[in-house]
Amino acid sequence: MLDGRPLVDVHLHAARLPTLKLAWREWASGFGDAAVLDRVYREDGTCDPAEFDAYLAEEGVDIALVLAEYSPKATGIQPVEDMLPLAAHNPARVKVIANVNPHLHYPIEEEVRRQLDLGAVALKIHPVHAGAPVNDRALYPAYELCQSLDVPIVVHCGTSTFPGSMNAYADPVLLDDVLRDFRGLNIALAHGGRGWWYDAAAFLALTYDRVWIELSGLPPSRLREYYARHNWNRLTRKMIFGTDWPGVPGIAKNARAVAALCPDAETADLVLAGNAMQVYRLKTS
């Protein structure tokens, strides 16, 4: 709980450092809190489950979703198996988001099912780092499986500065095919159109009941500016809190700043936890 309300952070990268490219480590140290990283990471570069859980508790986080990623061209490979010890230490607080890359996984639906069987609560698609558009037909079996199981999809929707990124694939217009062909999928737009797609992302969230703006990587102080052309009161009710940890000064700091921007307490409750609990089918203790 943070200031008396539940808090869910749906976007954290707690990767094992030796698996990552140098650019990711530079990003984490440049934007994150060095003291926190020194505390939660062991000398071998693995995230200590107990220290990570204690840090989340201190930040008021009731549920944290940690992401696997298979992006050898951009950030490296962050296998789902590396996330499992974090979730096993406190399964009520820490949960896993799966990831697949159509250049690496085939049959892709079998890999999705494998990661879901390991406990993943959602599937992340990273077109920019994977180098495959979100409407790539190779991904369709994964979407079909997730739709059948009511598993939400998280789509990276925004620019990335990591070498090897393909930013053209962040364009939300590429989701048009997926939204038409899979009418039962819940889709969270990670980074909310960061760069030059804020209007398109907001349009999708306001048009489709099952599309959501996921706030990771966006400074709260700029949110009103980013979405200035849209009805703020309506749009905030379609937002889901996430930080992109460790590339953030602090989870609680961001959450309080986001809550202060909400038009009322009910909306703040939705943004900080309620929407995430609905979309990702979560329960706080």
Side-chain angles (χ1 to χ4, degrees), residues 17 20-34 37 74-75 161-163 246-248:
L17 299 183
L20 298 163
K21 290 191 172 182
L22 178 62
W24 191 98
R25 294 195 291 270
E26 291 176 343
W27 164 79
S29 61
F31 288 93
D33 186 326
L37 293 175
T75 57
T161 59
F162 291 113
V248 63

Side-chain angles (χ1 to χ4, degrees), residues 2-3 12 14 17 29 35 39 56 109 115 117 148-149 159 162 164 170 196 198 202 205 215 224 260 269 271 276 281:
L2 180 70
D3 302 333
L12 298 91
L17 299 183
S29 61
R39 170 187 170 185
L56 294 173
E109 70 276 16
Q115 295 186 40
D117 287 344
S148 71
L149 297 174
T159 53
F162 291 113
W196 48 90
Y198 296 114
L215 297 174
R224 294 296 296 263
D269 290 342
V271 176
R281 300 181 302 163

Side-chain angles (χ1 to χ4, degrees), residues 91-149:
R93 193 191 316 275
V94 181
K95 303 179 188 302
V96 177
I97 293 181
N99 173 249
V100 288
N101 182 332
H103 298 303
L104 299 178
H105 299 118
Y106 182 85
I108 202 163
E109 70 276 16
E110 293 184 7
E111 177 60 18
V112 174
R113 187 177 290 278
R114 184 186 77 85
Q115 295 186 40
L116 292 177
D117 287 344
L118 291 172
V121 299
L123 173 65
K124 169 79 176 289
I125 302 297
H126 206 313
V128 173
H129 287 175
V134 70
N135 61 354
D136 189 321
R137 284 340 188 238
L139 291 166
Y140 269 40
Y143 299 150
E144 185 66 44
L145 176 63
C146 288
Q147 181 173 253
S148 71
L149 297 174

Side-chain angles (χ1 to χ4, degrees), residues 57-107:
E58 291 167 10
E59 293 291 301
V61 179
D62 295 280
I63 300 177
L65 305 187
V66 295
L67 293 99
E69 186 175 331
Y70 296 82
S71 301
K73 288 175 60 178
T75 57
I77 291 180
Q78 303 152 45
V80 66
E81 287 78 9
D82 286 352
M83 308 299 120
L84 299 181
L86 302 175
H89 177 77
N90 188 349
R93 193 191 316 275
V94 181
K95 303 179 188 302
V96 177
I97 293 181
N99 173 249
V100 288
N101 182 332
H103 298 303
L104 299 178
H105 299 118
Y106 182 85

Side-chain angles (χ1 to χ4, degrees), residues 85-249:
L86 302 175
H89 177 77
N90 188 349
R93 193 191 316 275
V94 181
K95 303 179 188 302
V96 177
I97 293 181
N99 173 249
V100 288
N101 182 332
H103 298 303
L104 299 178
H105 299 118
Y106 182 85
I108 202 163
E109 70 276 16
E110 293 184 7
E111 177 60 18
V112 174
R113 187 177 290 278
R114 184 186 77 85
Q115 295 186 40
L116 292 177
D117 287 344
L118 291 172
V121 299
L123 173 65
K124 169 79 176 289
I125 302 297
H126 206 313
V128 173
H129 287 175
V134 70
N135 61 354
D136 189 321
R137 284 340 188 238
L139 291 166
Y140 269 40
Y143 299 150
E144 185 66 44
L145 176 63
C146 288
Q147 181 173 253
S148 71
L149 297 174
D150 196 23
V151 172
I153 302 290
V154 182
V155 177
H156 179 101
C157 180
T159 53
S160 173
T161 59
F162 291 113
S165 298
M166 300 181 70
N167 284 307
Y169 289 157
D171 193 336
V173 73
L174 298 172
L175 275 165
D176 188 58
D177 292 340
V178 179
L179 289 166
R180 183 179 62 250
D181 295 338
F182 299 94
R183 296 186 296 277
L185 275 180
N186 267 299
I187 299 176
L189 304 180
H191 315 302
R194 181 176 63 199
W196 48 90
W197 295 291
Y198 296 114
D199 285 339
F203 173 83
L204 290 178
L206 292 172
T207 301
Y208 294 95
D209 289 341
R210 54 201 172 87
V211 177
W212 306 82
I213 298 290
E214 193 255 78
L215 297 174
S216 59
L218 301 180
S221 62
R222 302 287 299 278
L223 290 177
R224 294 296 296 263
E225 173 189 343
Y226 293 155
Y227 300 110
R229 296 175 59 183
H230 302 273
N231 184 305
W232 180 250
N233 288 4
R234 285 185 61 210
L235 188 61
T236 50
R237 297 183 71 86
K238 294 301 300 292
M239 291 179 175
I240 295 175
F241 179 75
T243 57
D244 214 10
W245 187 93
V248 63

